[in-house]
Amino acid sequence: MESATYEKTPLNAVNRVRNRAFYDRALIHGIVDATPILHVAFNPAEPEDDPFPIVLPMLGCTASFPGGKSSADETTDPDIYIHGYVSARLMKLPKSDEHAARGLPVTISASILDGLVLSLTPFHNSCNYRSAVVFGYATVVTDAAEKMWAMETITENIIRGRWENSRVPPTQTEMTSTSILRVRIHSASSKVRTGEPIEDRKDLKDDALTAKVWTGVVPSWLQWGEPVPTQANKVPKAPEYLNQWVSEENSNGKEKAVAAATS
Amino acid sequence: MESATYEKTPLNAVNRVRNRAFYDRALIHGIVDATPILHVAFNPAEPEDDPFPIVLPMLGCTASFPGGKSSADETTDPDIYIHGYVSARLMKLPKSDEHAARGLPVTISASILDGLVLSLTPFHNSCNYRSAVVFGYATVVTDAAEKMWAMETITENIIRGRWENSRVPPTQTEMTSTSILRVRIHSASSKVRTGEPIEDRKDLKDDALTAKVWTGVVPSWLQWGEPVPTQANKVPKAPEYLNQWVSEENSNGKEKAVAAATS
């Protein structure tokens, strides 16, 4: 049985402000699943030509095939499934000989801003946030059943209920032109900051300063607006599962951000 | 005089869905400045030990020293100044011999989600977003005047008015323990998606389907909540510049997301 935390190694060790670093699996998987846009970084096939990592914004979530979502499971590693929306370069790479065995090394980062932390002085300004970095090996999913399951899992991770409430299954052509990557997790870490600003003791004793400068946290969250129908839409009202999802996401987002401000 | 667009090369070329790719300087700089958390990717000092790029979430914005914010300038390249909040590893690297001349190659990505795009079928689900990727060379800012100016510029890019309304300038100790990186832009690109879902012609003609499946866009934006004072705060009400900033950011964010849904 694996541990509830990722082993701390030189690769994933957080070296600054160590008391904000966490290696809990459930926490890390939860941050990945709650982040709408993941940033996937990897090196180009011929790095000698080009010293810059490639970074692509992609959609994805943690999951275990066959099985399901496993963020709640604290002791086993799920994979991360990502949808190759903008990633022609990425999708091609794991098929190369060099990476065929283990997969392409990728670094997936997920960051959620929970608020701005405003101190008496700019030096102590900060952010409340939840941030995860996952290192893993990416391969293209070729098994048809796993691919279909991953498409459903990624869709449902975004909007619960959407899959069964739209035209499924995908056609053969749609399946063929969709690429899904499975990333086996090698290591991971997270950083979380909550609460008030740190202050300099001298600033706190400066009555003229504290009388003048407001200090506190401005909470922030991703807000979802009223669904806007397409011109071709024939359904009179936005469906209940969608309105409920919008309302739940908004109240959960706000609640988490405000809790982070005061915790 | 430079052009209003970044030259398209194999490095920054967007290879998928090319009609969503843009190379306009003003657009790219604007996306970087509007993104609260930038993801900075680079390779470790000894990549043979470790095939994974390092990715750090950081704060920063475009600016030209001496001068100011230059997102509005379409023909010259600003630098990107980033604040080394969580980045002991990054701050150390550009001092090494190997990178001393040009700087450390970094890839900065900035992504803003403007909404979820819901089609008749999951294959055509998408996101409205603005995303920029900038490739550049990072060096540590050592000049005291430039460093102070960059701290102010980054602070003001987040909340306009906060610098002058708090205890400034930073002390010598604060200056010394703050690290700022300047990234000279080498190349960049952006992708932007707006509007309704694409649909399969066959799906659109399926009356039973269109009668059942709602299609449209759920706009999204970063929402700022009511400022939460610290326990030590002595100022009775949140200041006007802060309330105004919250209100403007929220209405601009919503307006952009709704415009993206219908454009």
Side-chain angles (χ1 to χ4, degrees), chain A residues 68-92:
Chain A
K69 300 283 301 109
S70 58
S71 315
D73 182 339
E74 295 181 15
T75 55
T76 56
D77 270 352
D79 298 315
I80 296 181
Y81 283 86
I82 47 185
H83 186 216
Y85 201 70
V86 287
S87 59
R89 282 186 289 194
L90 179 51
M91 290 301 169
K92 277 176 198 155

Side-chain angles (χ1 to χ4, degrees), chain A residues 11 20 39 43 50 53 85 107 111 119-121 162 167 196 203 214-215 217 219 221 223 225 228 230-231, chain B residues 11 20 39 43 50 53 85-86 107 111 119-121 162 167 196 203 214-215 217 219 221 223 225 228 230-231:
Chain A
L11 173 63
R20 293 180 192 156
H39 285 90
N43 280 306
D50 201 331
Y85 201 70
T107 305
S111 303
S119 132
L120 290 167
T121 186
R162 183 66 191 179
R167 193 267 291 151
E196 301 197 341
D203 284 337
W214 183 91
T215 59
V217 177
W221 64 93
Q223 178 84 12
V228 179
T230 61
Q231 296 192 319
Chain B
L11 174 63
R20 292 179 194 157
H39 286 91
N43 280 306
D50 201 331
Y85 201 69
V86 286
T107 304
S111 303
S119 132
L120 291 167
T121 185
R162 182 66 192 179
R167 194 265 293 152
E196 301 195 340
D203 284 337
W214 183 92
T215 59
V217 177
W221 63 92
Q223 178 85 12
V228 178
T230 60
Q231 296 192 318

Side-chain angles (χ1 to χ4, degrees), chain A residues 89, chain B residues 7-16 21 23 135 187-189:
Chain A
R89 282 186 289 194
Chain B
E7 188 188 358
K8 196 176 152 187
T9 68
L11 174 63
N12 69 338
V14 173
N15 295 318
R16 171 108 190 252
Y23 303 88
F135 306 96
S187 176
S189 66

Side-chain angles (χ1 to χ4, degrees), chain A residues 10-13 15-17 20 36-37 39 41-43 50-55 57 59 84-89 105-107 109-113 115-116 118-127 129 131 133 135-137 151 155 158-159 162-163 165-170 173-175 177-178 186 191 193 196-197 200 203-204 207 209-239 241-242 245-246 258 261-262, chain B residues 10-17 20 36-37 39 41-43 50-55 57 59 84-89 105-107 109-113 115-116 118-127 129 131 133 135-137 151 155 158-159 162-163 165-170 173-175 177-178 186 191 193 196-197 200 203-204 207 209-239 241-242 245-246 258 261-262:
Chain A
L11 173 63
N12 70 337
N15 295 318
R16 171 107 190 251
V17 198
R20 293 180 192 156
I37 298 182
H39 285 90
F42 59 98
N43 280 306
D50 201 331
F52 302 102
I54 297 169
V55 183
L59 304 180
Y85 201 70
V86 287
S87 59
R89 282 186 289 194
V106 299
T107 305
S109 43
S111 303
I112 299 166
L113 183 67
L116 288 180
L118 298 176
S119 132
L120 290 167
T121 186
F123 177 73
H124 285 300
N125 285 347
S126 188
C127 292
Y129 61 91
S131 173
V133 174
F135 306 97
Y137 293 95
M151 287 169 72
T155 304
I158 301 172
I159 299 192
R162 183 66 191 179
W163 183 267
N165 285 293
S166 57
R167 193 267 291 151
V168 284
T173 311
E174 289 172 350
M175 286 295 290
S177 55
T178 299
H186 170 71
K191 284 191 76 181
R193 192 210 185 278
E196 301 197 341
D200 192 274
D203 284 337
L204 281 174
D207 290 342
L209 180 65
T210 59
K212 200 181 66 175
V213 177
W214 183 91
T215 59
V217 177
V218 189
S220 67
W221 64 93
L222 190 67
Q223 178 84 12
W224 299 96
E226 201 180 323
V228 179
T230 61
Q231 296 192 319
N233 171 62
K234 297 274 178 24
V235 178
K237 291 200 310 190
Y241 72 88
L242 185 60
W245 176 85
V246 165
V258 172
T262 52
Chain B
L11 174 63
N12 69 338
V14 173
N15 295 318
R16 171 108 190 252
V17 199
R20 292 179 194 157
I37 298 182
H39 286 91
F42 59 98
N43 280 306
D50 201 331
F52 302 101
I54 296 170
V55 183
L59 303 180
Y85 201 69
V86 286
S87 59
R89 281 185 289 193
V106 299
T107 304
S109 43
S111 303
I112 299 167
L113 183 67
L116 288 181
L118 298 176
S119 132
L120 291 167
T121 185
F123 177 73
H124 285 300
N125 286 348
S126 187
C127 291
Y129 61 90
S131 172
V133 175
F135 306 96
Y137 293 94
M151 286 168 71
T155 304
I158 301 172
I159 299 193
R162 182 66 192 179
W163 183 267
N165 285 293
S166 57
R167 194 265 293 152
V168 285
T173 311
E174 289 172 350
M175 286 295 290
S177 53
T178 299
H186 170 70
K191 284 191 78 181
R193 192 209 185 277
E196 301 195 340
D200 192 275
D203 284 337
L204 282 174
D207 291 341
L209 180 66
T210 59
K212 198 181 67 178
V213 177
W214 183 92
T215 59
V217 177
V218 189
S220 67
W221 63 92
L222 191 67
Q223 178 85 12
W224 299 96
E226 201 180 324
V228 178
T230 60
Q231 296 192 318
N233 172 63
K234 297 275 177 25
V235 177
K237 290 200 312 189
Y241 72 88
L242 185 60
W245 176 86
V246 166
V258 172
T262 53

